[in-house]
Amino acid sequence: MTILVLGGTGKTGRRIADRLTSLGLPVRAGSRSATPPFDWQDRGTWQAALDGVTAVYVSYYPDLAFPGAYDDVKAFTELAVRNGVRKLVLLSGRGEPEAQASERTIRESGAAWTVLRCSWFMQNFSEDFLLGAVLSGVIALPAADVPEPFLDVEDIVDVAVAALTQDGHAGRLYELTGPRLLTFADVAEELSAILGRPVTFVRVTPEEYVSAAVEHGVPREAAEGLGHLFTDILDGRNASVTDGVREALGRPARDFADFARANAHVWKAPQG
């Protein structure tokens, strides 16, 4: 009855694995550092990771919108079902046509499925991706002045754990967002108020963003993929809120202000 959690060291995966473990359920983390290891880029690792597994949380790295994601998810899903997996929960991206292709693969797999179609994570500001930017006081991104309903990862975790462990979620597509719309400039303003120091948003060109990311050690392909997400996905197509968290859990989604207050200690940490 083992549950395989792919992306076991990522923002959602490690929290889901911890939660399932605390419930006393057998969990296997799917990551390159796990035993057995799992690597999306090495299909030879997939079989051992699936041994004895009956349910999988499917999180694709770096993102379902990246080239090759659909082929990998399709091949993995087919292998998982052949190996006896009966339940699949997919982390998907809101407004991403490429992600929706992977969603179809999950829905047509023959296993019980749940799709979590999510907006941008609040935790992008507090963990790795944009943490340095908030600490420095300047969030420089190639994002237009359009709002996004930022979503707390803890809400994703609650829905994923429910889908993996409870009845009533099979065959459901939950579109998950936060409760209100914020531009990146709005986010910077709220962070400034909570931290008591200025945090500003600066819009840069995609080329400037990619160059800066590469200078900071991000592989060019990954930097270009992120630039694509900012310029193509954050174009206003997701400028609406949904009630997906309430549909799944019976409670409202967490608000950005609550998230920011809870993480203020992270951004007040000394640099270096």
Side-chain angles (χ1 to χ4, degrees), residues 58 73 77 88 90 102-109 113 115:
V58 183
V73 171
T77 299
L88 296 165
L90 175 69
S102 292
E103 292 176 11
R104 288 192 294 272
T105 291
I106 296 291
R107 294 200 306 267
E108 296 167 0
S109 66
W113 59 268
V115 171

Side-chain angles (χ1 to χ4, degrees), residues 171-213:
R172 298 295 303 272
L173 188 159
Y174 294 118
E175 191 160 347
L176 306 179
T177 75
R180 60 190 172 109
L181 294 167
L182 296 166
T183 65
F184 280 94
D186 293 333
V187 166
E189 184 176 338
E190 295 209 9
L191 290 174
S192 298
I194 288 171
L195 297 178
R197 63 175 175 82
V199 178
T200 59
F201 168 68
V202 177
R203 186 179 183 184
V204 298
T205 67
E207 295 77 16
E208 289 171 333
Y209 172 77
V210 170
S211 295

Side-chain angles (χ1 to χ4, degrees), residues 4 6 40 46-47 49-56 58 72-89 102 104-114:
L4 174 63
L6 301 185
W40 276 112
W46 298 0
Q47 181 68 58
L50 284 166
D51 184 37
V53 167
T54 56
V56 184
V58 183
D72 285 342
V73 171
K74 186 174 189 298
F76 174 82
T77 299
E78 292 171 351
L79 180 63
V81 172
R82 286 200 302 271
N83 278 268
V85 169
R86 301 193 297 271
K87 181 179 289 188
L88 296 165
V89 177
S102 292
R104 288 192 294 272
T105 291
I106 296 291
R107 294 200 306 267
E108 296 167 0
S109 66
W113 59 268
T114 308

